[in-house]
């Protein structure tokens, strides 16, 4: 029997049945990791803020903008 390997998305969301569904398109959101880089004006260092964004057909253009 093949061992099921959880994807990153499944781990982030937990059980699939708990995944929030977009009220607009009715698709379950896909969690993706978004990395934003920001430059600190004080010490000129780049910092990277990572967050999980919920992606569906409605907002994919905004998330990747
Ligand atoms: Zn949607």
């Amino acid at each position: 029997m093949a061992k099921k390997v959880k994807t990153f998305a499944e781990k982030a969301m937990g059980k699939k049945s708990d995944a929030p569904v977009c009220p607009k398109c009715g698709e379950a959101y896909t969690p993706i990791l978004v990395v934003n880089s920001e430059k600190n004006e004080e010490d000129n260092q780049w910092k990277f803020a990572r967050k999980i964004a919920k992606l569906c057909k409605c907002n994919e253009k905004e998330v990747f903008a």
Side-chain angles (χ1 to χ4, degrees), residues 1-2 4 6 8 15 17 21-22 28 30-33 35 44-45 48 53 55 58-59 62:
M1 190 173 164
K4 188 173 185 287
K6 276 198 167 188
F8 169 76
K15 289 178 184 172
S17 56
V21 174
C22 175
T30 304
I32 58 158
L33 188 66
V35 181
N44 256 10
Q45 296 279 322
F48 298 95
L55 185 75
C58 308
N59 68 3
E62 295 166 38

Side-chain angles (χ1 to χ4, degrees), residues 22-27 29 56-59:
C22 175
K24 280 190 195 171
C25 65
E27 297 276 321
Y29 289 119
C56 77
K57 288 173 190 168
C58 308
N59 68 3

Side-chain angles (χ1 to χ4, degrees), residues 33-45:
L33 188 66
V34 181
V35 181
N36 290 311
S37 56
E38 292 174 20
K39 198 169 192 178
N40 187 323
E41 297 296 332
E42 285 172 22
D43 57 12
N44 256 10
Q45 296 279 322

